[in-house]
Amino acid sequence: MSETSEEGRQETAAPAIELRGISKAFGPVQANRDIHLRVERGTIHGIVGENGAGKSTLMSILYGFYRADAGEILIDGKPTAITDSQAAIRAGIGMVFQHFKLVENFTVLENVVLGAEEGALLRPSLAKARKLLAELADEYEMAVDPDAIVETLSVGHQQRVEILKALYRKAEILILDEPTGVLTPAEADHLFRILRSLRDEGKTIILITHKLREIMDVTDAVSVMRRGEIVATRKTAETSPEELAELMVGRKVLLRVEKGTALPGRRVLEVEDLRVAADNGVDAVRGISMSLRAGEIVGIAGVAGNGQSELLEALAGIRPARGTVRLDGKALPLEGRGANGRARRHIGVGHVPEDRQRRGLIMDFLAWENMIFGYHRDRAWKRWPGLMDNPRIRAHTLEAMERFDVRPRDPSLQARNFSGGNQQKIVLAREIDRNPEVLLVGQPTRGVDIGAIEFIHQRLIQLRDEGKAILLVSVELEEIMSLSDRILVMFDGRIMGERDPAATDERELGLLMAGVTHEEVAP
């Protein structure tokens, strides 16, 4: 066959996936509207969009969790009815979820064959899976001990098990939802090598992520969703993070954090030999000592589960601890009634919790009720003893919503009816409005769209410049490096080192996050 005819044959080949006119509504909310999407075989195709843009709904339709109200799905050019996840698997589609679907007390091998057993006897299925896992490990650099119990594996290795599960079921199309949210930089790089290798073998990858840098690094094409529609599809080599951000939000977005030099003042918070137990009684924080000055942001980097959550909760007064914590030189109680979160708030410690829905809001309560939680006993909100001044609280909430750009500006909406980014703004407004001397911030932009990220970052820098002391915990390494004036790296409940953001890089921080010190990697 001539070169020209070979090119013509490739151009007319059916795409791996084609969605035609897909629409889906949940009551009055139109989640997807007349979606047309074409994903070529043997490519990595990114899908980006703000919270509520419809990305997850669309992928849930493709994987059979939801059924579209209208439209058609074609796999390899053939109309395919995907009525449930088993139908998706039969069509060659696998999905790796952001929160893994593994049985933690099963072995790797047992998880891989679960739901795909061949016959009543497990032994033949396990033997087949063991052989295939060995082959896949060699082919795609996905070595995992097949006899290891899943709960003993690192997050990166658990993710490999999810991918191996899909490949064991002969998936030709892989959907990955925010796959790097809990990975170290080294683990993320390894994942991308695996994805490129799978692509080169002819697999088709759909990557859902809010990290535009990852889109630019690993995808071949990218589709942008906004308000339930696909507004653009670009070849990755022909676009830029700035264009994608503008398409996502509908306006120009500042992707970098602009800030001046920090001018740290007095020591506001001092921590000595702090030890904090996790829920299982084992110490999650193991003898940490650190300090925080007025007018600076100290970032704590680390993979989730290395003690950062317990540290924040202890400093906020919602988890008992042992050791010494001083605020403006005065020792704070770490156990008992004096150590509760309300007591901390009233001495100038604000807290934006990592999990806004479990710790920061009561989802069934109204926005104006949530706006004063933790401060609801303050005299400012009382009309007279025993009665709240509800009109005043609602007026305060509306004014705060305007200043923090909470949408929609309706104090009478339940918290659950706001998007994740707007829920986060409600929590931030509540804590910042109290003008705390110390602000403890956990995962400030988790699950937050790019427009809200820009706003939250600007607000934190403004607070720093007003002389507030901010302790920032985030699994987003780029966020830590952009916002922090000093970076502390945590691993296994300890601080592995302190770094100047201007004098370090993601590789060095990633090694510290994995427990490898500078001395261990120095030539």
Side-chain angles (χ1 to χ4, degrees):
M1 184 179 290
S2 70
E3 183 176 325
T4 302
S5 59
E6 174 67 18
E7 289 177 355
R9 185 187 67 78
Q10 291 175 349
E11 287 175 1
T12 58
I17 303 165
E18 188 173 3
L19 305 180
R20 296 178 178 173
I22 296 293
S23 293
K24 178 67 178 177
F26 298 95
V29 179
Q30 191 73 40
N32 291 152
R33 181 182 293 105
D34 194 27
I35 297 256
H36 292 264
L37 176 67
R38 181 183 174 106
V39 179
E40 302 298 337
R41 176 161 297 283
T43 63
I44 301 176
H45 194 110
I47 297 182
V48 297
E50 292 189 282
N51 293 339
K55 308 183 299 296
S56 296
T57 298
L58 186 64
M59 291 303 102
S60 293
I61 290 170
L62 182 57
Y63 195 61
F65 279 172
Y66 299 142
R67 297 193 70 173
D69 299 332
E72 186 178 30
I73 298 174
L74 287 79
I75 305 296
D76 294 329
K78 300 174 183 176
T80 305
I82 301 180
T83 55
D84 55 29
S85 58
Q86 289 301 314
I89 291 168
R90 288 193 296 272
I93 301 171
M95 187 161 180
V96 178
F97 295 87
Q98 184 176 6
H99 302 291
F100 306 142
K101 308 295 183 183
L102 299 172
V103 181
E104 292 194 347
N105 59 348
F106 279 21
T107 67
V108 169
L109 208 56
E110 290 166 342
N111 270 282
V112 168
V113 302
L114 186 63
E117 302 89 345
E118 298 177 359
L121 298 177
L122 280 178
R123 184 170 294 178
S125 294
L126 292 172
K128 176 185 174 182
R130 187 181 295 274
K131 182 174 183 294
L132 182 60
L133 288 186
E135 294 171 358
L136 292 171
D138 289 339
E139 188 172 359
Y140 299 118
E141 295 184 70
M142 283 196 288
V144 183
D145 179 2
D147 299 310
I149 303 297
V150 163
E151 65 185 354
T152 67
L153 299 176
S154 70
V155 174
H157 280 82
Q158 288 185 27
Q159 189 177 67
R160 291 185 203 178
V161 176
E162 286 281 24
I163 296 173
L164 289 167
K165 275 175 56 181
L167 296 178
Y168 180 74
R169 289 158 175 75
K170 303 188 183 332
E172 291 296 318
I173 298 164
L174 269 178
I175 305 167
L176 292 97
D177 186 8
E178 298 288 357
T180 64
V182 291
L183 301 183
T184 67
E187 288 173 328
D189 288 343
H190 186 82
L191 171 66
F192 293 150
R193 288 198 298 273
I194 292 171
L195 296 184
R196 292 186 184 102
S197 180
L198 289 167
R199 175 195 61 190
D200 294 345
E201 290 291 324
K203 309 289 186 188
T204 304
I205 314 291
I206 296 179
L207 179 65
I208 303 170
T209 179
H210 68 280
K211 300 178 181 178
L212 295 181
R213 183 176 61 82
E214 293 180 358
I215 288 289
M216 300 304 298
D217 286 349
V218 78
T219 65
D220 302 296
V222 53
S223 294
V224 181
M225 293 190 68
R226 187 168 78 236
R227 297 179 182 176
E229 299 178 319
I230 289 184
V231 296
T233 295
R234 299 280 191 270
K235 291 183 178 179
T236 308
E238 297 175 359
T239 188
S240 66
E242 290 76 14
E243 183 191 24
L244 294 176
E246 186 171 350
L247 287 167
M248 287 164 62
V249 179
R251 62 175 175 81
K252 289 190 178 296
V253 177
L254 186 66
L255 294 179
R256 64 189 180 279
V257 177
E258 291 189 344
K259 62 177 184 178
T261 303
L263 301 172
R266 72 187 193 287
R267 290 179 189 271
V268 179
L269 190 71
E270 297 173 281
V271 177
E272 294 178 7
D273 194 28
L274 190 71
R275 298 177 182 273
V276 188
D279 292 338
N280 61 7
V282 177
D283 277 355
V285 177
R286 307 180 182 188
I288 280 183
S289 297
M290 55 169 285
S291 64
L292 186 61
R293 294 178 179 273
E296 72 169 351
I297 298 176
V298 173
I300 296 185
V303 178
N306 278 277
Q308 309 98 304
S309 298
E310 290 80 4
L311 172 63
L312 270 191
E313 290 177 359
L315 295 178
I318 57 179
R319 184 180 288 270
R322 308 178 313 275
T324 302
V325 176
R326 296 187 184 90
L327 181 67
D328 284 328
K330 181 180 179 181
L332 302 180
L334 300 180
E335 294 184 277
R337 293 185 63 184
N340 63 43
R342 180 170 177 264
R344 288 283 198 277
R345 282 184 166 92
H346 282 273
I347 58 173
V349 179
H351 178 216
V352 178
E354 291 184 292
D355 189 336
R356 57 180 168 264
Q357 295 190 355
R358 288 184 63 247
R359 291 285 194 183
L361 300 164
I362 297 180
M363 302 303 289
D364 290 332
F365 279 34
L366 308 180
W368 68 266
E369 295 170 322
N370 276 286
M371 191 64 78
I372 62 165
F373 281 144
Y375 307 103
H376 49 279
R377 290 189 175 90
D378 287 7
R379 294 179 61 184
W381 309 128
K382 299 290 181 65
R383 178 173 292 177
W384 52 73
L387 289 178
M388 307 294 290
D389 191 346
N390 293 345
R392 183 175 183 181
I393 298 170
R394 283 192 286 266
H396 163 75
T397 300
L398 181 58
E399 188 268 336
M401 285 178 143
E402 292 172 351
R403 283 189 291 109
F404 282 80
D405 194 27
V406 179
R407 304 178 191 178
R409 287 186 176 86
D410 185 350
S412 297
L413 275 182
Q414 286 183 323
R416 68 174 62 258
N417 291 327
F418 292 90
S419 70
N422 285 293
Q423 290 174 6
Q424 189 78 342
K425 288 179 184 178
I426 291 172
V427 177
L428 281 163
R430 182 183 67 215
E431 299 302 317
I432 290 173
D433 267 1
R434 295 294 297 196
N435 196 31
E437 291 301 310
V438 175
L439 184 64
L440 310 172
V441 185
Q443 313 301 343
T445 58
R446 172 179 280 167
V448 171
D449 59 52
I450 196 163
I453 288 173
E454 177 192 38
F455 175 88
I456 290 168
H457 286 176
Q458 290 174 342
R459 198 68 183 89
L460 291 176
I461 294 298
Q462 181 182 344
L463 280 175
R464 182 205 73 167
D465 293 344
E466 292 171 358
K468 307 304 179 184
I470 299 173
L471 185 65
L472 169 71
V473 169
S474 176
V475 295
E476 302 289 353
L477 199 49
E478 186 175 352
E479 182 169 64
I480 287 286
M481 294 186 71
S482 298
L483 288 174
S484 303
D485 303 303
R486 289 189 289 132
I487 299 174
L488 305 177
V489 183
M490 281 189 71
F491 170 76
D492 195 26
R494 298 181 175 88
I495 292 177
M496 299 297 295
E498 178 179 321
R499 295 293 184 269
D500 178 349
T504 189
D505 56 27
E506 290 193 4
R507 177 182 178 276
E508 182 182 27
L509 294 177
L511 289 169
L512 289 169
M513 289 163 63
V516 181
T517 64
H518 177 72
E519 290 73 18
E520 291 174 296
V521 298

